[in-house]
């Protein structure tokens, strides 16, 4: 029996982040909402808490997917609402995340701006918008923003994708 692990991730719209991580094998639950950290990052920012089986998918893989599925090297004007971050739940996890980010920097031309922050508070999204992609795959937002991220998953991380949750039109394009 494995011990379930969790990590919190923020970067772009939580609908997108939720859909990406719901599509992965080894992920047991994704809670969409808003996360606050501490000090200058104590305001809420869109994010998800990902519960996963570390025997099925590694923390390194989750972080790598996170970096590739949002603008992890872009300090755009919406960073207050969409903070690029990996939130940790322990000092041991913090050290692992920092090592992973340092190692993955070699994969990127530009500097990764994703912050490593302590998790402080989670506020779930209202029920009506939770599981947004699963409920609304045909909506224009999903077509424009989420489908390209799912296609990227299929192209670059297919061995981690749970194909049962990917719409056929995405699998066959």
């Amino acid at each position: 029996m494995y011990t379930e692990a969790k990590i919190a991730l923020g970067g772009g719209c939580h609908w997108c982040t939720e859909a990406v991580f719901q599509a992965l094998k080894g992920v047991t639950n994704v809670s969409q909402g808003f996360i606050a950290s501490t000090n200058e990052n104590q305001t809420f920012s869109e994010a998800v808490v990902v519960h996963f089986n570390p025997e099925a998918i590694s923390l390194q893989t989750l972080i790598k997917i996170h970096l590739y599925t949002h603008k992890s090297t872009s300090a755009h004007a919406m960073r207050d609402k969409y903070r690029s971050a990996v939130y940790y739940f322990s000092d041991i996890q913090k050290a692992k995340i920092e090592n992973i980010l340092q190692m993955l920097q070699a994969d990127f031309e530009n500097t990764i701006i994703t912050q490593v922050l302590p998790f402080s508070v989670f506020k779930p999204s209202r029920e009506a918008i939770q599981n947004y992609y699963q409920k609304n795959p045909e909506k224009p937002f999903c077509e424009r923003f989420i489908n390209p991220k799912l296609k990227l998953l299929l192209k670059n991380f297919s061995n981690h994708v749970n194909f049962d949750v990917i719409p056929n039109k995405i699998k066959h394009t």
Side-chain angles (χ1 to χ4, degrees):
M1 184 71 183
Y2 73 92
T3 301
E4 185 176 80
K6 67 180 174 179
I7 192 71
L9 305 163
C13 169
H14 50 164
W15 294 348
C16 295
T17 310
E18 175 189 56
V20 164
F21 290 94
Q22 285 177 332
L24 299 175
K25 292 184 232 175
V27 171
T28 57
N29 186 46
V30 180
S31 300
Q32 175 214 118
F34 304 86
I35 292 178
S37 184
T38 57
N39 301 321
E40 67 272 7
N41 295 301
Q42 65 184 334
T43 58
F44 282 98
S45 183
E46 293 190 21
V48 296
V49 178
V50 177
H51 297 259
F52 64 100
N53 173 352
E55 294 176 12
I57 191 165
S58 69
L59 179 61
Q60 180 175 330
T61 298
L62 292 171
I63 291 172
K64 186 172 186 175
I65 289 169
H66 180 57
L67 295 177
Y68 277 96
T69 56
H70 83 283
K71 293 180 178 171
S72 60
T73 61
S74 172
H76 56 72
M78 295 293 289
R79 277 292 170 224
D80 287 341
K81 183 177 180 182
Y82 305 122
R83 184 181 303 124
S84 181
V86 179
Y87 300 90
Y88 60 88
F89 292 90
S90 71
D91 289 338
I92 293 169
Q93 192 178 51
K94 176 186 179 187
K96 287 179 183 178
I97 294 163
E98 289 172 340
N99 288 334
I100 291 167
L101 287 174
Q102 184 177 16
M103 183 189 67
L104 291 174
Q105 179 60 63
D107 294 351
F108 291 84
E109 184 176 321
N110 296 319
T111 302
I112 295 170
I113 64 157
T114 304
Q115 300 174 75
V116 179
L117 300 171
F119 176 90
S120 181
V121 181
F122 177 74
K123 181 172 66 171
S125 298
R126 65 185 192 281
E127 177 62 36
I129 62 169
Q130 291 178 20
N131 298 305
Y132 189 81
Y133 184 79
Q134 300 303 322
K135 294 175 185 173
N136 304 287
E138 303 297 323
K139 292 267 187 175
F141 181 90
C142 296
E143 298 272 342
R144 182 169 178 202
F145 296 105
I146 299 175
N147 285 352
K149 293 175 190 297
L150 296 178
K151 288 176 185 176
L152 183 143
L153 277 183
L154 289 173
K155 180 180 176 191
N156 298 328
F157 301 98
S158 62
N159 55 326
H160 298 289
V161 173
N162 177 354
F163 286 88
D164 295 337
V165 300
I166 303 288
N168 281 333
K169 71 178 187 177
I170 304 275
K171 289 188 255 188
H172 302 295
T173 56

